[in-house]
DNA sequence: TCAGTAAGACTCAAAGCATC
DNA sequence: GATGCTTTGAGTCTTACTGA
């Protein structure tokens, strides 16, 4: 909500509406004047409007069309104050929109905007959400419903591997601060599974050697404050904290620690929008070889898909992603690759499945052995042998005998 | 027939994207 | 940057199903 609009006043004595609509702000004027006519103060209306984050723009676009309709049927706005049968008005208005060849989305938005307006004017739920209007819009709703289709999600490792490849450039100072910021933003998205807009309006809450904590507001209901940790992880090449520090330490000091300033690099740099951050992240994704058709949002989907693939429980994912209902959200939107596996399983007989399972186990074991062989060889060459931290649970016989896999490794 | 529950539909808001 | 449109997400209500 711009200050320009907030400060216009629009003061009129309650109960009187004198208005001629002619501009793109007519929807906002209509909303303000109808609320004012009912006795609501300008300040109260301002507060109501400013408490919408972005939806007001869509509502007012819809109400602008409503203002045009009132003009066409030669009615003043106060006509809406005393509707005996609001559902009839809604149906006639929406029918007019349909016959004016408005798009399905436009009709849907107009209905939504009108419902909100009438609700704010005190009409009952029953009158606003009538079966009459529901029936009128049945086909439009059907057309707008998302097609139930399979959509593959890219493998998160593609992006992580690409970031690993950038480490030498980072170490040689060959990456610009903007590039480092974009990669850091990706890392934070991957490891916090936060929405870009939430990260964009975050503030730095607390820092320590091993973690930075950022705090943000979640505007999707239930609206709340959330903290995300940017932590160290074992693989330094893709450590979000390392990448975050790599650009954050170089940004100009004294940039205020307030919402929407976190990602700003300098005072000279113009205010960074969520869109700018989104474009920078998309550029990195494309450099990594991820198709342009995938949006920034897909990072979240890829991260959750990877968690599901590695059998992280739904409850854990639920907590991690701050979703309220994993069953209906994560399953529906993120677990998109499982269909392929499901088809493979359905298309195979028990015998083939058993064999495949054995082969898979064999393959994993062989990989582990091969990895350990190189470690042991390295240890034999070096006077101080060190087990890699991730495989410290493995115990080796003192004399390696590579012919028999199972005799070498004892799993605890 | 009824109560409990699961699944689906509807609504509204926020976020994201494309285009000018 | 403004605007129109689509996607994502959650709350609430309705419908379908199941077993007693």
């Amino acid at each position: 909500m711009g200050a320009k609009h907030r400060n216009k006043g629009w003061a009129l004595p309650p109960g009187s509406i004198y208005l001629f609509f002619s501009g793109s702000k007519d929807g906002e004027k209509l909303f303000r004047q109808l609320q004012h006519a009912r006795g609501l103060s300008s300040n109260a209306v301002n507060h109501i409007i400013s408490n919408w984050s972005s939806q007001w723009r869509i509502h007012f676009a819809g109400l602008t069309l409503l203002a045009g309709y009132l003009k066409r049927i030669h009615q003043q706005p106060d006509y809406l104050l005393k509707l005996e049968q609001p559902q009839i008005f809604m149906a006639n208005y929406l029918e007019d929109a349909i016959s004016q060849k408005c798009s399905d989305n436009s009709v849907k938005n107009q209905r939504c905007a009108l419902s909100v307006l009438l609700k704010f004017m005190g009409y009952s739920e029953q009158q606003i959400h009538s079966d009459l209007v529901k029936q009128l819009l049945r086909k439009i709703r059907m057309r707008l419903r998302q097609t139930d289709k399979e959509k593959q999600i890219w493998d998160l490792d593609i992006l992580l591997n690409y970031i690993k490849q950038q480490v030498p450039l980072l170490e040689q100072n060959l990456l610009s601060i903007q590039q480092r910021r974009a990669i850091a933003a990706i890392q934070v998205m991957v490891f916090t599974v936060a929405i870009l807009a939430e990260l964009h309006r975050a503030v730095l809450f607390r820092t320590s050697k091993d973690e930075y904590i950022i705090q943000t507001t979640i505007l999707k209901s239930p609206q709340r404050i959330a903290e995300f940790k940017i932590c160290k992880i074992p693989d330094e090449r893709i450590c979000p904290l390392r990448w975050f520090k790599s650009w954050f330490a170089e940004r100009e000091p004294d940039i205020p620690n307030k919402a929407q300033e976190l990602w700003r690099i300098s005072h000279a740099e113009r205010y960074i929008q969520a869109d700018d951050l989104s474009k920078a992240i998309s550029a990195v994704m494309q450099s990594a070889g991820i198709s342009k058709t995938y949006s920034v949002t897909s990072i979240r989907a890829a991260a959750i898909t990877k968690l599901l693939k590695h059998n992280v429980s739904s409850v854990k994912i639920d907590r991690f992603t701050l979703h309220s209902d994993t069953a209906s959200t994560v399953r529906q939107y993120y677990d998109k690759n499982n269909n392929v596996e499901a088809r493979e399983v359905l298309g195979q007989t028990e015998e083939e499945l058993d064999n495949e399972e054995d082969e898979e186990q064999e393959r994993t074991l062989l990989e582990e052995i091969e990895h350990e062989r190189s470690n042991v060889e390295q240890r034999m060459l070096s006077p101080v042998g060190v087990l890699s931290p991730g495989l410290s649970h493995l115990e080796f016989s003192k004399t390696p005998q590579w012919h028999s896999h199972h005799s070498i490794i004892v799993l605890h």
Side-chain angles (χ1 to χ4, degrees), chain A residues 101-125:
Chain A
K101 305 274 182 238
C102 287
S103 69
D104 287 347
N105 267 303
S106 176
V107 174
K108 193 187 94 177
N109 286 341
Q110 287 178 63
R111 195 211 61 82
C112 186
L114 180 57
S115 296
V116 170
L117 177 73
L118 295 181
K119 201 185 282 183
F120 279 41
M121 288 170 67
Y123 289 104
S124 72
E125 287 283 336

Side-chain angles (χ1 to χ4, degrees), chain A residues 129-400:
Chain A
H129 298 132
S130 65
D131 289 344
L132 186 69
V133 173
K134 214 178 278 181
Q135 184 65 17
L136 182 74
L137 300 183
R138 184 182 282 263
K139 281 188 179 166
I140 289 180
R141 217 170 29 237
M142 184 64 199
R143 287 197 293 268
L144 287 173
R145 203 163 290 147
Q146 203 178 3
T147 312
D148 231 351
K149 61 185 174 192
E150 292 174 27
K151 193 184 171 191
Q152 286 287 297
I153 195 74
W154 47 275
D155 187 344
L156 186 68
D157 289 351
I158 296 172
L159 193 54
L160 295 181
N161 287 332
Y162 173 76
I163 292 171
K164 284 179 189 173
Q165 287 166 14
Q166 301 304 301
V167 172
L169 300 176
L170 172 72
E171 287 167 348
Q172 293 164 40
N173 287 328
L174 293 174
L175 293 178
S176 70
I177 187 167
Q178 285 84 0
Q179 286 171 314
R180 280 174 277 151
R181 178 178 63 183
I183 293 177
I186 288 176
Q187 292 292 69
V188 176
M189 280 190 87
V190 167
F191 287 95
T192 64
V193 201
I195 290 169
L196 182 65
E198 291 164 1
L199 294 180
H200 177 248
R201 60 171 173 262
V203 296
L204 195 60
F205 187 59
R206 201 165 53 238
T207 63
S208 71
K209 190 170 151 273
D210 292 333
E211 66 180 27
Y212 278 26
I213 297 177
I214 55 175
Q215 193 180 66
T216 189
T217 47
I218 294 177
L219 296 180
K220 287 194 169 188
S221 67
Q223 298 194 339
R224 59 211 188 270
I225 292 169
E227 286 175 15
F228 292 110
K229 280 185 182 174
I230 306 173
C231 305
K232 262 190 176 173
I233 64 162
D235 190 340
E236 230 201 359
R237 293 170 301 171
I238 50 168
C239 172
L241 188 61
R242 179 196 188 185
W243 280 98
F244 191 81
K245 280 181 177 174
S246 82
W247 80 272
F248 199 73
E250 274 180 38
R251 83 202 268 263
E252 280 182 12
D254 304 330
I255 291 175
N257 184 23
K258 60 179 191 186
Q260 311 193 2
E261 297 277 0
L262 180 67
W263 301 93
R264 196 170 181 180
I265 291 171
S266 68
H267 293 284
E269 183 194 50
R270 78 179 171 83
Y271 181 75
I272 180 163
Q273 299 282 348
D275 260 13
D276 302 322
L277 211 50
S278 166
K279 280 169 189 158
I281 292 171
S282 291
V284 175
M285 287 168 67
Q286 282 169 49
S287 303
I290 294 158
S291 163
K292 206 179 170 181
T293 56
Y294 287 107
S295 66
V296 171
T297 325
S298 67
I299 294 176
R300 186 173 161 87
I304 294 173
T305 302
K306 185 172 179 179
L307 292 175
L308 288 165
K309 190 179 162 191
H310 288 83
N311 298 323
V312 175
S313 77
S314 305
V315 175
K316 282 182 187 165
I317 296 175
D318 188 9
R319 287 186 192 142
F320 186 55
T321 58
L322 306 177
H323 276 120
S324 71
D325 184 354
T326 307
S328 66
T329 305
V330 175
R331 187 188 57 204
Q332 187 180 350
Y333 294 109
Y334 297 116
D335 194 12
K336 290 166 177 168
N337 285 357
N338 280 358
N339 287 349
V340 176
E341 283 172 32
R343 262 194 298 272
E344 278 173 10
V345 170
L346 288 171
Q348 287 172 330
T349 60
E350 282 292 323
E351 213 170 285
E352 287 168 333
L353 283 169
D354 285 347
N355 288 342
E356 199 168 88
E357 216 165 275
D358 289 347
E359 279 169 23
E360 177 68 24
Q361 283 174 0
E362 187 85 354
R363 216 169 24 242
T364 312
L365 202 54
L366 276 170
E367 279 166 11
E368 283 182 6
I369 290 162
E370 194 52 44
H371 185 228
E372 283 315 308
R373 187 213 303 260
S374 65
N375 276 352
V376 171
E377 278 169 357
Q378 217 170 7
R379 233 182 12 247
M380 284 160 77
L381 291 171
S382 148
V384 188
V386 181
L387 259 181
S388 75
L391 292 162
S392 54
H393 61 291
L394 300 174
E395 193 177 274
F396 299 88
S397 68
K398 286 183 181 160
T399 322

